[in-house]
Amino acid sequence: LQTVARLLPLVYIFEEVRSILLNNIVNYSNIMSALKLNLIYFTSAVFIFYLAFHGARKKGTLINVGE
């Protein structure tokens, strides 16, 4: 279950908040890990959206609303 949790950026943010509150130390590697995961997820979401949109345009399943 921890392996699955490590795939979520929020885990690294919570670990960093916990580290700051308990030790008064800022560990930038946790923040960078969260940013890298966010970038990976955002890039893959844009790519998947583009593929779905392109496929819908090709099939003609998009509806023209308001025109």
Side-chain angles (χ1 to χ4, degrees):
L1 197 58
Q2 287 182 355
T3 307
V4 175
R6 287 287 175 189
L7 296 174
L8 300 172
L10 201 56
V11 171
Y12 295 99
I13 298 299
F14 284 147
E15 283 290 324
E16 187 55 35
V17 169
R18 183 175 154 268
S19 172
I20 291 170
L21 289 175
L22 293 178
N23 303 327
N24 292 329
I25 297 173
V26 177
N27 184 6
Y28 290 106
S29 67
N30 282 336
I31 296 172
M32 291 307 294
S33 297
L35 287 175
K36 287 176 189 175
L37 280 175
N38 279 330
L39 183 64
I40 290 169
Y41 289 147
F42 179 73
T43 306
S44 61
V46 168
F47 181 71
I48 291 170
F49 176 79
Y50 174 75
L51 288 178
F53 187 75
H54 182 68
R57 284 184 76 184
K58 197 171 191 179
K59 289 181 183 178
T61 55
L62 291 176
I63 301 172
N64 289 334
V65 178
E67 292 184 12

